[in-house]
């Protein structure tokens, strides 16, 4: 992967927080001071302008960078360090691939802070996650199909981020590695089902950036343990190469 400097290029570990879910001040404090590289704000349902503003303002008490995943123009809140615009590669219709994005840009394109916006090509691979249900993604992909999608994102379209999404379940790391093999310029994000330091380390080995979500809300201690696990694995890899 050739890394172009961007607001997210140094991120190895990220906590994804859902504006539609409750998080106490104490838990947020521990998350923001955990040593994670960034907080990513986004969710597959129930995200509004108001709950996004509220979460951003709470995270802004800390130094940790905070970015937003823009799934709906209605929740486009200014003031984040960066914005990702998801495009679901394996959704069957054009709606989640380009349709919604074009509609939103027609209205708000002139307001976009383009220097801190990155396209995010999603491959949604857990059929039971909300993102798969909402987008009706075709999730049972063979390794060669995954490789083809990765080529499409990286080489044909030159999207800067490929996000392999298994939200809710720990994914097939062989498939994640297969995707990574194809990338020349895109940064590979992996998210889904990370609940232990071991899983975090495996994901850090397979992907460039590890995203940890749900476990924040049901086992804070386990969530926090993933930060050091990723840090450690990255250090070992840097030592080897
Ligand atoms: C969700 O990829 C993220 O979009 C993280 O997944 O919530 O399963 O950790 P989990």
């Amino acid at each position: 992967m050739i890394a172009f400097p961007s607001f997210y290029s140094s991120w190895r570990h990220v906590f994804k927080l859902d504006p539609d879910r409750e998080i106490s001040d104490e838990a947020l404090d521990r998350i923001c001071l955990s040593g994670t590289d960034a907080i990513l704000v986004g969710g597959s349902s129930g995200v509004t302008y108001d709950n996004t503003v509220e979460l951003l303002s709470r995270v802004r008490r800390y130094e940790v960078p905070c970015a937003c995943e823009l799934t709906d123009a209605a929740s486009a809140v200014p003031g984040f360090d960066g914005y990702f615009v998801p495009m679901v590669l394996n959704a069957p219709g054009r709606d989640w691939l380009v349709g919604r994005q074009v509609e939103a840009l027609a209205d708000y394109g002139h307001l976009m802070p383009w220097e801190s916006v990155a396209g995010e090509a999603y491959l949604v691979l857990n059929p039971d996650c909300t993102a798969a249900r909402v987008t009706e993604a075709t999730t049972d992909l063979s390794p060669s199909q995954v490789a083809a999608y990765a080529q499409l994102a990286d080489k044909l379209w030159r999207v800067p981020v490929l996000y392999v999404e298994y939200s809710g379940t720990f994914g097939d790391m062989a498939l994640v590695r297969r995707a990574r093999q194809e990338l020349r310029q895109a940064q590979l994000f992996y998210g889904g089902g990370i609940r232990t330091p071991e899983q975090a380390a495996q994901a850090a080995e397979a992907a460039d950036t590890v995203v940890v979500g749900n476990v924040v809300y049901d086992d804070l201690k386990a969530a926090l343990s993933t930060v050091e696990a990723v840090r450690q694995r990255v250090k070992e890899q840097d030592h080897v190469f």
Side-chain angles (χ1 to χ4, degrees), residues 96-126:
W96 287 96
L97 184 61
V98 293
R100 298 166 64 91
Q101 297 82 343
V102 167
E103 258 177 51
L105 290 173
D107 292 332
Y108 302 107
H110 62 292
L111 297 173
M112 293 284 275
W114 285 111
E115 63 291 347
S116 38
V117 175
E120 196 182 36
Y122 260 79
L123 265 186
V124 180
L125 296 182
N126 172 14

Side-chain angles (χ1 to χ4, degrees), residues 39-51:
I39 306 295
L40 185 52
V41 171
S44 299
S45 64
V47 178
T48 65
Y49 192 90
D50 289 350
N51 60 22

Side-chain angles (χ1 to χ4, degrees), residues 16 122 163 165-169 190-194 211-215:
K16 192 189 268 196
Y122 260 79
Y163 192 133
E165 172 70 287
Y166 275 95
S167 182
T169 191
Y190 168 81
I194 294 173
V211 184
V212 176
N214 278 304
V215 71

Side-chain angles (χ1 to χ4, degrees), residues 1-4 8 150-162 180 182-188 208:
M1 187 196 77
I2 303 162
F4 295 100
Y8 54 85
Q151 288 175 349
L152 177 118
D154 181 81
K155 300 188 175 86
L156 284 183
W157 292 354
R158 297 190 189 273
V159 182
V161 174
L162 177 68
R180 194 191 205 178
E182 303 300 333
L183 304 184
R184 273 204 311 234
Q185 56 80 32
Q187 185 163 332
L188 182 60
D208 300 310

Side-chain angles (χ1 to χ4, degrees), residues 8 10-16 31 34-40 64 187 194 200 204 208-213 215-216 222-231 234:
Y8 54 85
S10 64
W11 297 356
R12 296 292 170 258
H13 181 284
V14 171
F15 280 122
K16 192 189 268 196
I31 288 294
S34 64
T36 187
D37 296 310
I39 306 295
L40 185 52
V64 66
Q187 185 163 332
I194 294 173
D208 300 310
T209 303
V210 173
V211 184
V212 176
V215 71
V216 168
L224 294 168
S225 74
T226 64
V227 178
E228 182 53 28
V230 169
R231 184 87 46 240
V234 168

Side-chain angles (χ1 to χ4, degrees):
M1 187 196 77
I2 303 162
F4 295 100
S6 56
F7 66 89
Y8 54 85
S9 52
S10 64
W11 297 356
R12 296 292 170 258
H13 181 284
V14 171
F15 280 122
K16 192 189 268 196
L17 299 183
D18 185 341
D20 194 33
R21 293 180 82 172
E22 300 261 321
I23 184 163
S24 69
D25 283 340
E26 194 199 337
L28 191 64
D29 187 72
R30 298 190 65 191
I31 288 294
C32 291
L33 297 175
S34 64
T36 187
D37 296 310
I39 306 295
L40 185 52
V41 171
S44 299
S45 64
V47 178
T48 65
Y49 192 90
D50 289 350
N51 60 22
T52 304
V53 167
E54 201 215 329
L55 185 53
L56 172 64
S57 61
R58 291 175 70 201
V59 174
R60 276 291 183 240
R61 293 176 201 150
Y62 303 88
E63 281 180 16
V64 66
C66 187
C68 177
E69 241 178 4
L70 268 181
T71 35
D72 188 342
S75 56
V77 171
F80 281 93
D81 295 309
Y83 297 85
F84 293 102
V85 178
M87 298 163 277
V88 182
L89 299 181
N90 56 330
R94 70 183 285 284
D95 202 28
W96 287 96
L97 184 61
V98 293
R100 298 166 64 91
Q101 297 82 343
V102 167
E103 258 177 51
L105 290 173
D107 292 332
Y108 302 107
H110 62 292
L111 297 173
M112 293 284 275
W114 285 111
E115 63 291 347
S116 38
V117 175
E120 196 182 36
Y122 260 79
L123 265 186
V124 180
L125 296 182
N126 172 14
D128 300 321
C129 71
T130 309
R133 281 200 302 274
V134 170
T135 65
E136 299 175 0
T138 308
T139 54
D140 59 337
L141 302 178
S142 67
S144 53
Q145 285 172 314
V146 167
Y149 276 118
Q151 288 175 349
L152 177 118
D154 181 81
K155 300 188 175 86
L156 284 183
W157 292 354
R158 297 190 189 273
V159 182
V161 174
L162 177 68
Y163 192 133
V164 176
E165 172 70 287
Y166 275 95
S167 182
T169 191
F170 191 63
D172 178 346
M173 290 301 118
L175 269 190
V176 180
R177 281 194 295 273
R178 186 73 191 82
R180 194 191 205 178
Q181 277 171 21
E182 303 300 333
L183 304 184
R184 273 204 311 234
Q185 56 80 32
Q187 185 163 332
L188 182 60
F189 283 29
Y190 168 81
I194 294 173
R195 306 189 64 86
T196 65
E198 292 73 26
Q199 289 170 330
Q202 284 176 46
E205 209 168 289
D208 300 310
T209 303
V210 173
V211 184
V212 176
N214 278 304
V215 71
V216 168
Y217 299 93
D218 24 84
D219 188 345
L220 182 62
K221 199 167 160 224
L224 294 168
S225 74
T226 64
V227 178
E228 182 53 28
V230 169
R231 184 87 46 240
Q232 200 54 42
R233 183 51 54 99
V234 168
K235 210 188 280 174
E236 285 163 17
Q237 282 174 328
D238 287 351
H239 189 66
V240 172
F241 298 107

